[in-house]
Amino acid sequence: MQTSPTTTAAAAPPAAGHPDLSTVPRIDFLLLALAVSGVAFSAPLITATAAPALAIAFWRNCIASGVLSPIALLRHRAELRAMSRRTVLLCLAAGAFLAVHFSMWLPSLRMTSIASSTALCTITPLWTTLFLRLRGQHVPRTVWVGTGIAFCGVLVLTGVDFTLSARALAGDGLALGAGIAASGYFLLGSEVRRSTSTTAYTFVCYTTTAALLLVGCLASGQALTGYSADTWMKILLLTVAAQFLGHSLSNRVVRTLGPSLVSTAILLETPGAALIAAVWLGQMPPLAVYPAVAMVLLGLVVVIRGQQRRP
């Protein structure tokens, strides 16, 4: 499920590249659909799991790290030993950002609606664009237009939740912060993966995230055991669906489908999660949420398309 350094580099074509989709094997489109489905189940599963939010985040990363351990330590031992100090520090920093992301996003799912939380958290590309601009990189006008559209959707979302309760508004704030933390995680990860395999990177990153979340759980007194068999099953399903199925398959098909199509497809997590929550959990958000989510998605699509154009 993981890729070697050579494959990883090949799976990240230039941002301006547009592959000929007529030559792509049909199985890759099916794999992309499965990846989107995997991440879409994340928020509903977390909401339905009867365990503390921080503990869910810990076990998700701990299990993922445990599964990766024999692969990383046996097949990538030489690569791990050869990592430079800078690469290791970047991996550790990425793991820290991911821990912050989980510690903010998971609690938000129990304070606001799944649709609002997921939409606010998935505006990560917008924060990434802003950070890149602060680093001196050119940002096309189209990207700024998309940013404006998406933030209008964010304002509508927070306005809707404000009419519900102050708790929902606080949940929106946590989801927004989780998106910012995720952008830091993605930026650091993209830098590491230029020279490091996905297996080696994710092993160090997930292990760091699990360790930090464990400290958070112990410090806050959250129970790490004593769950029912149903709860453990949902935690395992969450790890398989979101961590391995979603992320691994996305990395698998990005080489043939291109980053633009894959990134745009992953945005379907927001309406997908809202639909799953409505059918499975009976969580029906106010009607005003739907046009707001549509605005966020439209803005993100415009941003991604703008990033494919050369300045």
Side-chain angles (χ1 to χ4, degrees):
M1 296 179 69
Q2 303 299 333
T3 57
S4 64
T6 302
T7 304
T8 302
H18 295 276
D20 183 0
L21 298 182
S22 65
T23 64
V24 176
R26 292 185 179 181
I27 186 63
D28 284 9
F29 292 97
L30 175 59
L31 293 177
L32 178 59
L34 289 174
V36 174
S37 300
V39 295
F41 270 98
S42 180
L45 272 172
I46 292 169
T47 303
T49 302
L54 210 59
I56 296 174
F58 162 71
W59 282 116
R60 169 179 172 173
N61 285 272
C62 181
I63 294 171
S65 177
V67 172
L68 287 173
S69 292
I71 303 173
L73 297 178
L74 293 176
R75 298 182 58 183
H76 296 264
R77 182 183 304 176
E79 181 186 3
L80 290 170
R81 289 178 175 176
M83 278 186 177
S84 66
R85 181 178 180 181
R86 177 178 180 275
T87 299
V88 173
L89 290 176
L90 288 175
C91 291
L92 295 176
F97 270 108
L98 187 58
V100 173
H101 164 74
F102 281 128
S103 65
M104 298 183 77
W105 183 50
L106 270 67
S108 78
L109 290 168
R110 297 177 178 178
M111 299 172 67
T112 186
S113 68
I114 288 177
S116 297
S117 177
T118 307
L120 289 167
C121 191
T122 54
I123 63 174
T124 297
L126 301 180
W127 301 117
T128 301
T129 300
L130 292 174
F131 290 154
L132 290 174
R133 182 66 184 90
L134 292 175
R135 292 170 59 182
Q137 296 193 22
H138 173 76
V139 178
R141 181 181 300 178
T142 308
V143 173
W144 293 118
V145 172
T147 301
I149 295 173
F151 271 108
C152 286
V154 170
L155 293 177
V156 173
L157 277 171
T158 55
V160 169
D161 278 343
F162 182 73
T163 62
L164 296 177
S165 68
R167 176 180 173 83
L169 183 62
D172 289 341
L174 286 176
L176 201 61
I180 296 174
S183 68
Y185 160 67
F186 286 130
L187 284 171
L188 292 171
S190 64
E191 179 67 23
V192 173
R193 285 194 291 266
R194 292 182 180 181
S195 58
T196 306
S197 70
T198 304
T199 299
Y201 165 66
T202 53
F203 170 67
V204 178
C205 179
Y206 291 168
T207 301
T208 302
T209 301
L212 292 175
L213 290 173
L214 176 60
V215 173
C217 288
L218 295 177
S220 59
Q222 294 196 15
L224 294 173
T225 57
Y227 310 144
S228 66
D230 178 71
T231 296
W232 283 116
M233 183 61 65
K234 289 176 180 175
I235 292 175
L236 289 174
L237 183 58
L238 174 65
T239 304
V240 172
Q243 207 85 3
F244 291 114
L245 183 63
H247 291 283
S248 294
L249 290 185
S250 296
N251 292 330
R252 160 67 175 78
V253 301
V254 72
R255 179 181 181 183
T256 54
L257 297 179
S260 180
L261 177 58
V262 173
S263 298
T264 302
I266 292 299
L267 297 179
L268 294 173
E269 174 188 357
T270 299
L275 178 61
I276 293 170
V279 174
W280 181 26
L281 304 177
Q283 186 179 116
M284 302 296 294
L287 292 178
V289 167
Y290 294 101
V293 170
M295 291 176 66
V296 173
L297 292 176
L298 174 61
L300 287 170
V301 170
V302 173
V303 166
I304 290 175
R305 290 188 178 277
Q307 288 176 329
Q308 308 310 312
R309 300 177 180 178
R310 292 185 182 277

